[in-house]
């Protein structure tokens, strides 16, 4: 078993498909066998094997991402919707290593105490860094794995929330470029759903400091659906937050981007459905002022959406 792990730790150059073709196929077959072994739940990993498992995972997954195809474009001209998604040539091996890690985490045979030595803050941060991968398939695996880690290792929960927070801050206030915001918000949608009531102050601050400002970047359309879900979850959990959310939306309301205005109007409608009369009265004057501006918009979709 350890020999197979060591064999799978060898990383090949994937940019040239003709190079080491035989060795790559042997590695793929070996990884398939390892995935089947973990999936069968036929044995608990003991200490030396566990260390080799995570050495193999680190060697394959925890790497520097290649320079982004939009590295030299400015935040203004960057439009992820128009970019061709980049596919990692090493995916046949990467997928199996991700599958191995996922099966290990969800396996009932996994001893969380032993695993905690390897699934630590450092690994969580490195996995979060990989969310910027341009390959959507990789981000999907990362989303599932991080969500499972959050569920199984309660001790890491505050750290994971804080680390995601920091990615959002950097994206909003510095770069406005990140490929995995939508996937991170999907994880958060599920996390917010499980928040206990009454909401902690820390969670309300997260709404005000990270989620509401995520409406600011130009590429908000890329992740707006997931963001809107998270925001609505907060309002449904604590009805008093409706005023804060509506004022936040009005603060970041787009002035020259009609498509973005249509998105904001859709989100506003969802929030208003959950808003109580007392909260509505607090923000109705600036709200109606903004809706009035939308009704007078020269863009027919904005005016039409505001009428609804």
């Amino acid at each position: 078993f350890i020999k197979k792990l060591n064999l799978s730790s060898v990383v090949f150059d994937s940019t040239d498909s003709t190079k080491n073709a035989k060795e790559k196929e042997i590695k793929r077959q070996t990884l398939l066998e390892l995935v089947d072994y973990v999936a069968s739940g036929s044995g608990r990993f003991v200490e030396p094997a566990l260390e080799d498992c995570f050495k193999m995972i680190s060697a394959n997954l925890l790497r520097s991402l290649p320079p982004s195809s939009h590295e030299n474009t400015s935040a203004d001209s960057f439009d992820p919707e128009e970019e061709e998604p980049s596919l990692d040539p090493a995916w046949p091996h990467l997928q199996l290593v991700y599958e191995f890690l996922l099966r290990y985490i969800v396996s009932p045979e996994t001893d969380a105490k032993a695993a905690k030595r390897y699934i630590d803050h450092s690994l969580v941060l490195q996995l979060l860094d990989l969310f910027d991968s341009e390959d959507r398939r990789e981000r999907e695996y990362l989303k599932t794995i991080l969500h499972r880690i959050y569920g199984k290792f309660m001790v890491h929960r505050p750290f994971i929330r804080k680390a995601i927070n920091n990615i959002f801050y950097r994206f909003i206030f510095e770069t406005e470029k990140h490929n995995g915001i939508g996937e991170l918000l999907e994880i958060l949608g599920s996390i917010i759903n499980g928040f206990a009531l009454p909401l902690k102050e820390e969670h309300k601050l997260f709404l005000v400091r990270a989620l509401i400002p995520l409406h600011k970047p130009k590429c908000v359309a890329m992740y707006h659906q997931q963001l809107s879900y998270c925001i609505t979850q907060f309002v449904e959990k604590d009805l008093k937050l409706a005023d804060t959310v509506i004022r936040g939306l009005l603060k970041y309301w787009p002035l020259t981007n009609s498509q973005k205005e249509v998105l904001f109007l859709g989100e506003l409608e969802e929030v208003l459905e959950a808003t109580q009369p007392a909260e509505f009265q607090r923000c109705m004057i600036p709200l109606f002022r903004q809706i009035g501006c939308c009704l007078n918009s020269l863009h027919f979709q904005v005016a039409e959406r505001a009428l609804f």
Side-chain angles (χ1 to χ4, degrees):
F1 180 73
I2 288 174
K3 274 184 184 173
K4 286 185 176 181
L5 286 171
N6 291 337
L7 179 69
S8 303
S9 298
V10 180
V11 179
F12 296 104
D13 176 13
S14 305
T15 50
D16 184 354
S17 57
T18 57
K19 208 170 161 186
N20 305 114
K22 188 181 173 188
E23 289 89 338
K24 285 177 187 170
E25 182 53 29
I26 292 170
K27 177 177 173 178
R28 196 182 72 81
Q29 290 297 339
T30 309
L31 282 167
L32 275 169
E33 288 172 30
L34 290 170
V35 169
D36 285 343
Y37 177 75
V38 182
S40 69
S42 52
R44 186 173 283 203
F45 290 113
V46 286
E47 196 50 61
L50 201 53
E51 189 175 342
D52 284 315
C53 281
F54 279 92
K55 273 185 188 166
M56 184 273 285
I57 289 163
S58 299
N60 283 283
L61 300 183
L62 307 181
R63 67 214 190 277
S64 297
L65 292 169
S68 170
S69 58
H70 52 255
E71 194 70 54
N72 299 321
T73 57
S74 68
D76 290 348
S77 59
F78 166 56
D79 182 0
E81 286 184 322
E82 289 181 13
E83 301 284 328
E84 275 295 306
S86 143
L87 302 176
D88 196 317
W91 184 246
H93 290 165
L94 287 175
Q95 180 186 9
L96 292 170
V97 180
Y98 274 122
E99 189 64 35
F100 178 86
L101 177 57
L102 178 59
R103 298 286 177 129
Y104 171 72
I105 291 167
V106 300
S107 169
E109 291 294 319
T110 297
D111 177 12
K113 266 189 179 172
K116 214 158 48 179
R117 282 189 57 193
Y118 302 97
I119 300 175
D120 55 6
H121 287 183
S122 169
L123 181 78
V124 167
L125 281 178
Q126 287 173 297
L127 289 174
L128 281 167
D129 284 343
L130 292 171
F131 269 87
D132 202 16
S133 166
E134 290 190 19
D135 195 325
R136 187 184 293 275
R137 301 168 301 180
E138 179 164 20
R139 299 199 304 269
E140 281 298 315
Y141 259 106
L142 285 162
K143 179 181 81 178
T144 309
I145 287 166
L146 193 71
H147 196 197
R148 295 292 188 169
I149 290 173
Y150 189 90
K152 193 156 195 163
F153 301 91
M154 290 182 72
V155 66
H156 291 333
R157 288 182 181 182
F159 179 79
I160 291 172
R161 291 197 301 268
K162 191 177 176 186
I164 293 176
N165 232 344
N166 291 338
I167 291 173
F168 287 166
Y169 289 154
R170 188 159 181 267
F171 170 69
I172 298 161
F173 302 112
E174 291 178 31
T175 63
E176 286 204 11
K177 289 183 195 173
H178 196 287
N179 293 304
I181 299 297
E183 285 80 5
L184 290 169
L185 284 167
E186 276 185 54
I187 296 171
L188 282 168
S190 181
I191 290 172
I192 294 163
N193 206 351
F195 280 166
L197 294 174
L199 287 175
K200 290 181 185 173
E201 200 55 37
E202 168 210 341
H203 301 328
K204 292 180 188 175
L205 283 175
F206 169 66
L207 168 71
V208 173
R209 292 180 182 174
L211 288 185
I212 292 176
L214 272 172
H215 290 86
K216 178 174 169 261
K218 283 190 170 65
C219 59
V220 66
M222 288 298 295
Y223 53 81
H224 185 264
Q225 189 182 347
Q226 295 93 324
L227 176 60
S228 181
Y229 176 75
C230 289
I231 296 274
T232 314
Q233 286 279 310
F234 262 108
V235 176
E236 286 173 0
K237 287 258 174 197
D238 184 348
L239 299 173
K240 287 181 181 171
L241 290 172
D243 174 50
T244 308
V245 167
I246 291 169
R247 286 180 186 275
L249 275 172
L250 296 176
K251 179 183 175 184
Y252 292 107
W253 201 272
L255 299 174
T256 56
N257 188 332
S258 303
Q259 288 312 112
K260 208 170 155 182
E261 276 198 270
V262 173
L263 290 175
F264 274 48
L265 285 163
E267 184 177 349
L268 189 59
E269 183 181 7
E270 283 185 28
V271 173
L272 284 171
E273 278 177 14
T275 304
Q276 298 300 303
E279 305 308 315
F280 177 70
Q281 281 182 344
R282 284 188 194 173
C283 59
M284 66 182 182
I285 293 172
L287 174 63
F288 280 125
R289 200 173 287 141
Q290 185 60 61
I291 291 173
C293 291
C294 291
L295 287 169
N296 290 324
S297 171
L298 296 173
H299 195 287
F300 81 96
Q301 283 180 320
V302 175
E304 190 178 57
R305 193 73 186 83
L307 280 168
F308 288 123

